[in-house]
Amino acid sequence: MTQTVCLNGEFLPIEEARVPVLDRGFIFGDGIYEVVPVYGGRPFRWAQHLTRLKRSLAAIGIDNPLGDEQWTDLVHQLVARHDWANQFVYMQVTRGVARRDHAFPQNVTPTVFAMVSELVPPPAAQIENGISVVTLPDERWLHCDIKSTSLLGNVLARQAAVQAGAAECVMFRDGFLTEGSASNIWVVRSGRLFGSPKDNLVLEGIRYGLMAELCERAGVELQLRRVLREEVLAADELLLTSATKEVLPITRIDGRPVGTGKPGPVFAKLHAAYQQAKAA
Ligand code: PMP
């Protein structure tokens, strides 16, 4: 299927979309983005994604170029142009095109780009057997709470995981869990679920709020607090969440089994609750 994207309000085939080389997204990674899953034509948790998009823009001082209705309309128009059953929308706003200088340019128009792709849910084998991760030091900056397109730290971390034969990494700063390269990480100990606090060291995934709801529904106690590396390595279960991966069990860490080495009961409950939430 031809992929149609939207660049600064214009819908066009992806191959024809062009951004000037002086775009600050290209030069500095000076921009933010958002990724929203769409199931059966309906954006999942759209209000929360839109709120985070606006929070990211405000955090880096870019005026929101579109109103809520325009953002919503943009997403629906893109989705309607593709007939994949499940899709995900990628939206990006950069500070715009200007002579290269680090400080913000005056009177510049932000660049707005959006595209949709087919969303292929994680394969059954990953749900049945889990995935492997490796641990890494978190070497990123101190504003991981902003969904910035400056992702070099995340890119290098994911590449290190791939080179080690793993699907994702789990990162630690000062001996405490932060998150994955493109996911949040959850730790099960004695039937309770623990996640990193929502501070500047992690991106607050839209699945943070969702996990709270799913835990409530599934009768799992959830606590956000700093989690020691030792607690992660000795976890009964480890889980990963993201917009496109939903919730997945992590069954190997640094080549060793997590708990029994099989997806556990807390994963099973939360995965079932997640599927129900998608269908609701
Ligand atoms: N942390 C990072 C660094 C991410 O890139 C992502 C994926 N966007 C997440 C966490 C999970 O966020 P979400 O649940 O909104 O996809």
Side-chain angles (χ1 to χ4, degrees):
M1 188 186 320
T2 340
Q3 217 178 333
T4 301
V5 302
C6 185
L7 181 61
N8 297 322
E10 192 187 348
F11 289 88
L12 68 180
I14 192 161
E15 299 78 16
E16 290 173 25
R18 295 275 180 278
V19 179
V21 289
L22 284 179
D23 192 285
R24 288 176 63 99
F26 180 61
I27 297 283
F28 292 121
D30 184 1
I32 58 90
Y33 73 108
E34 197 50 56
V35 175
V36 188
V38 179
Y39 299 113
R42 288 186 304 157
F44 185 57
R45 303 264 144 171
W46 168 238
Q48 291 88 336
H49 281 281
L50 181 55
T51 299
R52 187 173 66 182
L53 175 75
K54 292 190 281 189
R55 197 167 67 228
S56 301
L57 285 168
I60 68 164
I62 295 181
D63 289 336
N64 185 358
L66 302 180
D68 286 3
E69 274 183 31
Q70 288 173 299
W71 279 118
T72 306
D73 192 50
L74 171 57
V75 166
H76 282 110
Q77 283 202 53
L78 272 177
V79 168
R81 284 168 189 259
H82 301 84
D83 40 49
W84 295 303
N86 299 319
Q87 312 185 11
F88 65 96
V89 183
Y90 175 91
M91 291 172 282
Q92 172 174 329
V93 182
T94 76
R95 203 176 303 280
V97 182
R99 186 178 62 83
R100 187 182 181 280
D101 180 54
H102 290 58
F104 297 178
Q106 298 296 310
N107 305 319
V108 69
T109 309
T111 301
V112 180
F113 171 64
M115 66 178 167
V116 297
S117 307
E118 183 175 19
L119 175 56
V120 182
Q126 288 191 350
I127 292 160
E128 280 154 28
N129 307 321
I131 61 162
S132 302
V133 298
V134 288
T135 62
L136 288 177
D138 193 337
E139 295 177 340
R140 301 172 303 161
W141 71 329
L142 295 175
H143 268 299
C144 298
D145 52 322
I146 303 172
K147 202 161 169 59
S148 161
T149 57
S150 304
L151 286 171
L152 193 50
N154 305 60
V155 165
L156 295 178
R158 172 63 69 83
Q159 182 59 20
V162 168
Q163 279 173 352
E168 177 59 301
C169 62
V170 172
M171 295 187 283
F172 297 89
R173 197 189 283 271
D174 301 328
F176 290 96
L177 169 70
T178 56
E179 59 182 344
S181 71
S183 56
N184 292 117
I185 303 295
W186 307 88
V187 181
V188 179
R189 291 175 62 89
S190 307
R192 292 155 84 197
L193 190 69
F194 298 95
S196 303
K198 297 186 255 182
D199 59 18
N200 61 309
L201 301 182
V202 298
L203 180 77
E204 181 187 340
I206 298 308
R207 268 122 291 278
Y208 258 80
L210 183 58
M211 287 297 261
E213 285 175 35
L214 301 183
C215 281
E216 181 94 40
R217 229 176 283 169
V220 175
E221 194 187 320
L222 170 64
Q223 198 185 342
L224 301 185
R225 65 154 169 86
R226 304 217 318 150
V227 182
L228 282 163
R229 180 185 169 90
E230 292 71 34
E231 295 181 282
V232 173
L233 296 179
D236 300 324
E237 297 178 47
L238 290 177
L239 315 180
L240 163 164
T241 57
S242 82
T244 53
K245 303 288 181 208
E246 304 180 346
V247 55
L248 282 179
I250 296 167
T251 46
R252 294 191 81 76
I253 185 163
D254 290 337
R256 288 185 291 272
V258 176
T260 62
K262 299 245 161 33
V266 173
F267 167 73
K269 282 190 218 172
L270 293 176
H271 182 256
Y274 200 112
Q275 300 311 310
Q276 275 174 10
K278 274 166 58 179

